[in-house]
């Protein structure tokens, strides 16, 4: 099947992005086990239909959805 974000790593990354907007997306991606922030961003967009930076800037979550 299609590999998106690993279950727990993806959820943890999304939670950290939402809660810690001052931390860089690269730092969060690497801390959650991704080897590349570009790879993380690609997979994040596929899962949530929004780029990580927009996810951070949307505190209500109205601009993203989980696939």
């Amino acid at each position: 099947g299609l590999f998106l974000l690993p279950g727990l790593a993806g959820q943890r990354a999304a939670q950290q992005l939402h809660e810690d907007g001052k931390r860089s997306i690269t730092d969060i991606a690497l801390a959650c086990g991704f080897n590349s922030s570009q790879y993380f961003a690609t997979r994040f967009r596929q899962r949530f239909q929004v780029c990580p930076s927009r996810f951070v800037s949307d505190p209500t979550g109205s601009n993203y959805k989980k696939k």
Side-chain angles (χ1 to χ4, degrees):
L2 179 64
F3 174 78
L4 295 176
L5 287 175
L8 292 176
Q11 289 176 355
R12 186 174 61 219
Q15 181 179 2
Q16 287 183 23
L17 284 170
H18 189 69
E19 292 175 354
D20 194 357
K22 294 179 182 172
R23 196 166 162 203
S24 78
I25 291 168
T26 299
D27 286 345
I28 290 172
L30 295 175
C32 291
F34 293 90
N35 293 325
S36 159
S37 61
Q38 291 175 326
Y39 179 72
F40 168 74
T42 297
R43 298 304 182 194
F44 193 94
R45 276 192 303 274
Q46 288 177 337
R47 180 170 181 183
F48 293 104
Q49 302 298 302
V50 67
C51 66
S53 59
R54 191 166 198 174
F55 183 92
V56 170
S57 68
D58 182 16
T60 65
S62 61
N63 290 324
Y64 62 88
K65 61 184 176 181
K66 184 177 175 184
K67 269 191 164 182

